[in-house]
Amino acid sequence: MNSTAPIIISRSHTLHPLNFDFRLHTHTDMLEILIFISGDSEFRVEGNVYPLHPYDTVVVASNEMHRVFHHSDTPYERIVINLPDSFFVTNSCEEYSDLFFGRKPGDMNLIPYEITKNTGYSDCIHRLLKYRESGESPILVKSILIELLHLLNKSRKDIHWERSYGNHGNKHIREVISYINDNLTENINLDTISEKFFINKNYLCRAFKRHTGYTLNKYITHKRILYVRELCARNMSLTQASLEAGFGDYSNFYKMYVKETGHAPSKDLRG
């Protein structure tokens, strides 16, 4: 975990959004809060799809593969807050960390504006942007951010929103992704998953790529690399972490890591 990474707060406007510029990705050791202002968009994360409405909020953990998908070139405006995944420990507010860590990947990412609108959340966002833009003390900005996390956490617990605002992705792909995330350390591949879910391999390959933007094998590799990063952050050696994450041996991990990133793991990871 990166305890020195800065908190980044930005408000952005894309006049003609292109899906090519908003590809599936993750943020290493960083959490994200996205406040959707306007656009013709949906949020896709770990095989799940959440339609977006003005002032909805999406929370994303560092291991969740996600993207914003635009149905048209309607101008897209948003506020994005990125903070290190060590933020809660560093600032003694672990009780709010369930927003990111207390759920399965792709579940309960959306907190609708309908729920937050009467909580003071919008005012909190306004003050956060105002203080950040005016160069106020970082301590003040951080305190407002903790207030914002408190309001989000309270909003999510105040109502069981999932029944009304649940996931809209392909059911089979959601189940496959959930299985992969729960079994990264096991011997999983296209053959074993096809047999597990009684799905034709060709159909599974096409559907998985269509709904996630990744081939199934590349997705598994990417999630395993993220898990190695997490284990190394806990001071596990690279060799042991690669075994624990399901790569079989360090040589295979090294080859996959170089293919994925273009450089050796020692450049990014310690251990």
Side-chain angles (χ1 to χ4, degrees), residues 41-69:
S41 314
E42 65 187 24
F43 194 82
R44 299 183 176 183
V45 53
E46 298 291 346
N48 295 332
V49 178
Y50 298 99
L52 293 174
H53 303 93
Y55 302 100
D56 284 350
T57 296
V58 179
V59 294
V60 192
S62 57
N63 68 334
E64 291 184 292
M65 299 180 69
H66 63 281
R67 67 173 295 185
V68 174
F69 183 87

mmCIF file of all heavy atoms in Angstrom, residues 41-69:
data_model
loop_
_atom_site.group_PDB
_atom_site.id
_atom_site.type_symbol
_atom_site.label_atom_id
_atom_site.label_comp_id
_atom_site.label_asym_id
_atom_site.label_seq_id
_atom_site.Cartn_x
_atom_site.Cartn_y
_atom_site.Cartn_z
ATOM 1 N N SER A 41 -24.182 8.077 -20.128
ATOM 2 C CA SER A 41 -23.140 7.129 -19.764
ATOM 3 C C SER A 41 -23.623 6.058 -18.788
ATOM 4 O O SER A 41 -24.654 6.219 -18.134
ATOM 5 C CB SER A 41 -21.955 7.878 -19.119
ATOM 6 O OG SER A 41 -21.598 9.023 -19.857
ATOM 7 N N GLU A 42 -22.847 4.988 -18.701
ATOM 8 C CA GLU A 42 -23.032 3.956 -17.693
ATOM 9 C C GLU A 42 -21.669 3.561 -17.157
ATOM 10 O O GLU A 42 -20.644 3.763 -17.807
ATOM 11 C CB GLU A 42 -23.762 2.743 -18.277
ATOM 12 C CG GLU A 42 -22.969 2.013 -19.355
ATOM 13 C CD GLU A 42 -23.789 0.923 -20.032
ATOM 14 O OE1 GLU A 42 -25.037 1.008 -20.019
ATOM 15 O OE2 GLU A 42 -23.171 -0.021 -20.594
ATOM 16 N N PHE A 43 -21.665 2.998 -15.953
ATOM 17 C CA PHE A 43 -20.415 2.575 -15.318
ATOM 18 C C PHE A 43 -20.334 1.062 -15.353
ATOM 19 O O PHE A 43 -21.256 0.373 -14.909
ATOM 20 C CB PHE A 43 -20.364 3.070 -13.867
ATOM 21 C CG PHE A 43 -18.995 2.981 -13.259
ATOM 22 C CD1 PHE A 43 -18.053 3.971 -13.492
ATOM 23 C CD2 PHE A 43 -18.656 1.899 -12.468
ATOM 24 C CE1 PHE A 43 -16.783 3.888 -12.945
ATOM 25 C CE2 PHE A 43 -17.381 1.805 -11.910
ATOM 26 C CZ PHE A 43 -16.441 2.801 -12.148
ATOM 27 N N ARG A 44 -19.228 0.544 -15.885
ATOM 28 C CA ARG A 44 -19.029 -0.891 -15.999
ATOM 29 C C ARG A 44 -17.870 -1.298 -15.092
ATOM 30 O O ARG A 44 -16.772 -0.736 -15.183
ATOM 31 C CB ARG A 44 -18.730 -1.285 -17.446
ATOM 32 C CG ARG A 44 -19.857 -0.929 -18.419
ATOM 33 C CD ARG A 44 -19.570 -1.393 -19.841
ATOM 34 N NE ARG A 44 -20.696 -1.122 -20.727
ATOM 35 C CZ ARG A 44 -20.733 -1.476 -22.007
ATOM 36 N NH1 ARG A 44 -19.700 -2.128 -22.551
ATOM 37 N NH2 ARG A 44 -21.792 -1.191 -22.750
ATOM 38 N N VAL A 45 -18.129 -2.279 -14.244
ATOM 39 C CA VAL A 45 -17.101 -2.716 -13.294
ATOM 40 C C VAL A 45 -17.272 -4.201 -13.012
ATOM 41 O O VAL A 45 -18.350 -4.642 -12.617
ATOM 42 C CB VAL A 45 -17.156 -1.873 -11.987
ATOM 43 C CG1 VAL A 45 -18.539 -1.850 -11.389
ATOM 44 C CG2 VAL A 45 -16.139 -2.367 -10.971
ATOM 45 N N GLU A 46 -16.212 -4.959 -13.239
ATOM 46 C CA GLU A 46 -16.184 -6.396 -12.945
ATOM 47 C C GLU A 46 -17.408 -7.132 -13.515
ATOM 48 O O GLU A 46 -18.003 -7.985 -12.859
ATOM 49 C CB GLU A 46 -16.089 -6.620 -11.432
ATOM 50 C CG GLU A 46 -14.833 -6.062 -10.803
ATOM 51 C CD GLU A 46 -13.576 -6.820 -11.208
ATOM 52 O OE1 GLU A 46 -13.694 -7.927 -11.756
ATOM 53 O OE2 GLU A 46 -12.465 -6.303 -10.964
ATOM 54 N N GLY A 47 -17.784 -6.799 -14.757
ATOM 55 C CA GLY A 47 -18.898 -7.466 -15.409
ATOM 56 C C GLY A 47 -20.261 -6.910 -15.080
ATOM 57 O O GLY A 47 -21.265 -7.316 -15.671
ATOM 58 N N ASN A 48 -20.344 -5.980 -14.142
ATOM 59 C CA ASN A 48 -21.614 -5.357 -13.771
ATOM 60 C C ASN A 48 -21.758 -4.003 -14.454
ATOM 61 O O ASN A 48 -20.767 -3.334 -14.759
ATOM 62 C CB ASN A 48 -21.709 -5.181 -12.259
ATOM 63 C CG ASN A 48 -21.735 -6.519 -11.543
ATOM 64 O OD1 ASN A 48 -22.187 -7.509 -12.099
ATOM 65 N ND2 ASN A 48 -21.240 -6.545 -10.320
ATOM 66 N N VAL A 49 -22.989 -3.602 -14.681
ATOM 67 C CA VAL A 49 -23.271 -2.341 -15.377
ATOM 68 C C VAL A 49 -24.231 -1.507 -14.540
ATOM 69 O O VAL A 49 -25.287 -1.990 -14.129
ATOM 70 C CB VAL A 49 -23.895 -2.609 -16.767
ATOM 71 C CG1 VAL A 49 -24.223 -1.289 -17.458
ATOM 72 C CG2 VAL A 49 -22.957 -3.449 -17.628
ATOM 73 N N TYR A 50 -23.856 -0.248 -14.290
ATOM 74 C CA TYR A 50 -24.701 0.663 -13.525
ATOM 75 C C TYR A 50 -25.048 1.879 -14.391
ATOM 76 O O TYR A 50 -24.161 2.675 -14.721
ATOM 77 C CB TYR A 50 -23.979 1.152 -12.265
ATOM 78 C CG TYR A 50 -23.614 0.066 -11.286
ATOM 79 C CD1 TYR A 50 -22.324 -0.451 -11.244
ATOM 80 C CD2 TYR A 50 -24.551 -0.431 -10.385
ATOM 81 C CE1 TYR A 50 -21.982 -1.442 -10.335
ATOM 82 C CE2 TYR A 50 -24.220 -1.422 -9.472
ATOM 83 C CZ TYR A 50 -22.930 -1.914 -9.453
ATOM 84 O OH TYR A 50 -22.591 -2.896 -8.559
ATOM 85 N N PRO A 51 -26.314 2.043 -14.790
ATOM 86 C CA PRO A 51 -26.711 3.281 -15.480
ATOM 87 C C PRO A 51 -26.440 4.475 -14.574
ATOM 88 O O PRO A 51 -26.642 4.403 -13.356
ATOM 89 C CB PRO A 51 -28.214 3.084 -15.709
ATOM 90 C CG PRO A 51 -28.424 1.607 -15.642
ATOM 91 C CD PRO A 51 -27.428 1.100 -14.640
ATOM 92 N N LEU A 52 -25.971 5.574 -15.155
ATOM 93 C CA LEU A 52 -25.617 6.760 -14.367
ATOM 94 C C LEU A 52 -26.618 7.882 -14.581
ATOM 95 O O LEU A 52 -27.043 8.151 -15.712
ATOM 96 C CB LEU A 52 -24.218 7.240 -14.746
ATOM 97 C CG LEU A 52 -23.055 6.304 -14.379
ATOM 98 C CD1 LEU A 52 -21.737 6.838 -14.944
ATOM 99 C CD2 LEU A 52 -22.956 6.131 -12.866
ATOM 100 N N HIS A 53 -26.976 8.539 -13.468
ATOM 101 C CA HIS A 53 -27.857 9.705 -13.505
ATOM 102 C C HIS A 53 -27.146 10.862 -12.796
ATOM 103 O O HIS A 53 -26.254 10.626 -11.975
ATOM 104 C CB HIS A 53 -29.186 9.383 -12.816
ATOM 105 C CG HIS A 53 -29.883 8.195 -13.414
ATOM 106 N ND1 HIS A 53 -29.724 6.911 -12.926
ATOM 107 C CD2 HIS A 53 -30.734 8.097 -14.477
ATOM 108 C CE1 HIS A 53 -30.445 6.075 -13.656
ATOM 109 N NE2 HIS A 53 -31.075 6.760 -14.598
ATOM 110 N N PRO A 54 -27.523 12.097 -13.127
ATOM 111 C CA PRO A 54 -26.824 13.246 -12.542
ATOM 112 C C PRO A 54 -26.667 13.160 -11.027
ATOM 113 O O PRO A 54 -27.619 12.891 -10.309
ATOM 114 C CB PRO A 54 -27.705 14.431 -12.953
ATOM 115 C CG PRO A 54 -28.287 13.988 -14.262
ATOM 116 C CD PRO A 54 -28.563 12.514 -14.087
ATOM 117 N N TYR A 55 -25.417 13.344 -10.588
ATOM 118 C CA TYR A 55 -25.007 13.396 -9.178
ATOM 119 C C TYR A 55 -25.022 12.030 -8.477
ATOM 120 O O TYR A 55 -24.913 11.970 -7.258
ATOM 121 C CB TYR A 55 -25.819 14.448 -8.409
ATOM 122 C CG TYR A 55 -25.657 15.813 -9.016
ATOM 123 C CD1 TYR A 55 -26.649 16.334 -9.855
ATOM 124 C CD2 TYR A 55 -24.498 16.558 -8.812
ATOM 125 C CE1 TYR A 55 -26.485 17.575 -10.460
ATOM 126 C CE2 TYR A 55 -24.324 17.799 -9.419
ATOM 127 C CZ TYR A 55 -25.326 18.299 -10.242
ATOM 128 O OH TYR A 55 -25.159 19.521 -10.846
ATOM 129 N N ASP A 56 -25.126 10.964 -9.267
ATOM 130 C CA ASP A 56 -24.848 9.647 -8.702
ATOM 131 C C ASP A 56 -23.364 9.565 -8.344
ATOM 132 O O ASP A 56 -22.530 10.239 -8.959
ATOM 133 C CB ASP A 56 -25.156 8.537 -9.720
ATOM 134 C CG ASP A 56 -26.640 8.254 -9.878
ATOM 135 O OD1 ASP A 56 -27.430 8.782 -9.076
ATOM 136 O OD2 ASP A 56 -26.998 7.500 -10.808
ATOM 137 N N THR A 57 -23.045 8.720 -7.384
ATOM 138 C CA THR A 57 -21.655 8.516 -6.973
ATOM 139 C C THR A 57 -21.277 7.053 -7.148
ATOM 140 O O THR A 57 -22.079 6.163 -6.841
ATOM 141 C CB THR A 57 -21.455 8.923 -5.504
ATOM 142 O OG1 THR A 57 -21.706 10.322 -5.369
ATOM 143 C CG2 THR A 57 -20.029 8.626 -5.034
ATOM 144 N N VAL A 58 -20.068 6.818 -7.644
ATOM 145 C CA VAL A 58 -19.541 5.466 -7.789
ATOM 146 C C VAL A 58 -18.248 5.365 -6.996
ATOM 147 O O VAL A 58 -17.404 6.263 -7.050
ATOM 148 C CB VAL A 58 -19.266 5.119 -9.266
ATOM 149 C CG1 VAL A 58 -18.689 3.713 -9.387
ATOM 150 C CG2 VAL A 58 -20.534 5.234 -10.096
ATOM 151 N N VAL A 59 -18.094 4.293 -6.215
ATOM 152 C CA VAL A 59 -16.858 4.055 -5.468
ATOM 153 C C VAL A 59 -16.161 2.837 -6.058
ATOM 154 O O VAL A 59 -16.804 1.840 -6.394
ATOM 155 C CB VAL A 59 -17.130 3.856 -3.963
ATOM 156 C CG1 VAL A 59 -17.658 5.138 -3.340
ATOM 157 C CG2 VAL A 59 -18.112 2.712 -3.714
ATOM 158 N N VAL A 60 -14.822 2.930 -6.193
ATOM 159 C CA VAL A 60 -14.053 1.883 -6.869
ATOM 160 C C VAL A 60 -12.805 1.558 -6.071
ATOM 161 O O VAL A 60 -12.011 2.455 -5.747
ATOM 162 C CB VAL A 60 -13.632 2.322 -8.290
ATOM 163 C CG1 VAL A 60 -13.109 1.116 -9.076
ATOM 164 C CG2 VAL A 60 -14.761 2.992 -9.028
ATOM 165 N N ALA A 61 -12.624 0.276 -5.750
ATOM 166 C CA ALA A 61 -11.413 -0.165 -5.062
ATOM 167 C C ALA A 61 -10.278 -0.336 -6.063
ATOM 168 O O ALA A 61 -10.505 -0.405 -7.280
ATOM 169 C CB ALA A 61 -11.676 -1.482 -4.326
ATOM 170 N N SER A 62 -9.058 -0.429 -5.555
ATOM 171 C CA SER A 62 -7.887 -0.481 -6.433
ATOM 172 C C SER A 62 -7.802 -1.763 -7.250
ATOM 173 O O SER A 62 -7.101 -1.810 -8.258
ATOM 174 C CB SER A 62 -6.610 -0.308 -5.608
ATOM 175 O OG SER A 62 -6.525 -1.291 -4.596
ATOM 176 N N ASN A 63 -8.506 -2.822 -6.847
ATOM 177 C CA ASN A 63 -8.449 -4.082 -7.580
ATOM 178 C C ASN A 63 -9.639 -4.293 -8.498
ATOM 179 O O ASN A 63 -9.798 -5.371 -9.079
ATOM 180 C CB ASN A 63 -8.347 -5.263 -6.603
ATOM 181 C CG ASN A 63 -9.622 -5.446 -5.795
ATOM 182 O OD1 ASN A 63 -10.381 -4.503 -5.586
ATOM 183 N ND2 ASN A 63 -9.858 -6.664 -5.329
ATOM 184 N N GLU A 64 -10.491 -3.283 -8.661
ATOM 185 C CA GLU A 64 -11.693 -3.419 -9.491
ATOM 186 C C GLU A 64 -11.445 -2.861 -10.888
ATOM 187 O O GLU A 64 -11.140 -1.682 -11.056
ATOM 188 C CB GLU A 64 -12.881 -2.696 -8.842
ATOM 189 C CG GLU A 64 -13.366 -3.377 -7.572
ATOM 190 C CD GLU A 64 -14.588 -2.716 -6.991
ATOM 191 O OE1 GLU A 64 -14.471 -1.567 -6.520
ATOM 192 O OE2 GLU A 64 -15.659 -3.336 -6.986
ATOM 193 N N MET A 65 -11.612 -3.713 -11.896
ATOM 194 C CA MET A 65 -11.444 -3.279 -13.277
ATOM 195 C C MET A 65 -12.725 -2.565 -13.719
ATOM 196 O O MET A 65 -13.813 -3.115 -13.607
ATOM 197 C CB MET A 65 -11.136 -4.486 -14.156
ATOM 198 C CG MET A 65 -9.849 -5.185 -13.744
ATOM 199 S SD MET A 65 -9.444 -6.625 -14.753
ATOM 200 C CE MET A 65 -9.038 -5.839 -16.300
ATOM 201 N N HIS A 66 -12.571 -1.346 -14.222
ATOM 202 C CA HIS A 66 -13.748 -0.521 -14.471
ATOM 203 C C HIS A 66 -13.541 0.427 -15.644
ATOM 204 O O HIS A 66 -12.409 0.670 -16.074
ATOM 205 C CB HIS A 66 -14.073 0.300 -13.214
ATOM 206 C CG HIS A 66 -12.974 1.260 -12.846
ATOM 207 N ND1 HIS A 66 -11.830 0.869 -12.180
ATOM 208 C CD2 HIS A 66 -12.838 2.587 -13.055
ATOM 209 C CE1 HIS A 66 -11.054 1.912 -11.980
ATOM 210 N NE2 HIS A 66 -11.645 2.973 -12.522
ATOM 211 N N ARG A 67 -14.630 0.984 -16.109
ATOM 212 C CA ARG A 67 -14.607 2.008 -17.154
ATOM 213 C C ARG A 67 -15.944 2.728 -17.164
ATOM 214 O O ARG A 67 -16.949 2.204 -16.679
ATOM 215 C CB ARG A 67 -14.353 1.396 -18.532
ATOM 216 C CG ARG A 67 -15.492 0.510 -19.023
ATOM 217 C CD ARG A 67 -15.303 0.043 -20.456
ATOM 218 N NE ARG A 67 -15.328 1.155 -21.393
ATOM 219 C CZ ARG A 67 -15.275 1.002 -22.714
ATOM 220 N NH1 ARG A 67 -15.195 -0.215 -23.241
ATOM 221 N NH2 ARG A 67 -15.309 2.046 -23.509
ATOM 222 N N VAL A 68 -15.978 3.904 -17.743
ATOM 223 C CA VAL A 68 -17.224 4.593 -18.065
ATOM 224 C C VAL A 68 -17.483 4.358 -19.546
ATOM 225 O O VAL A 68 -16.590 4.542 -20.378
ATOM 226 C CB VAL A 68 -17.130 6.100 -17.757
ATOM 227 C CG1 VAL A 68 -18.392 6.818 -18.229
ATOM 228 C CG2 VAL A 68 -16.922 6.328 -16.270
ATOM 229 N N PHE A 69 -18.697 3.919 -19.869
ATOM 230 C CA PHE A 69 -19.072 3.671 -21.264
ATOM 231 C C PHE A 69 -20.083 4.732 -21.683
ATOM 232 O O PHE A 69 -21.074 4.981 -20.982
ATOM 233 C CB PHE A 69 -19.683 2.275 -21.413
ATOM 234 C CG PHE A 69 -20.037 1.927 -22.832
ATOM 235 C CD1 PHE A 69 -19.092 1.366 -23.678
ATOM 236 C CD2 PHE A 69 -21.318 2.172 -23.322
ATOM 237 C CE1 PHE A 69 -19.406 1.046 -24.990
ATOM 238 C CE2 PHE A 69 -21.641 1.859 -24.637
ATOM 239 C CZ PHE A 69 -20.683 1.292 -25.474
#
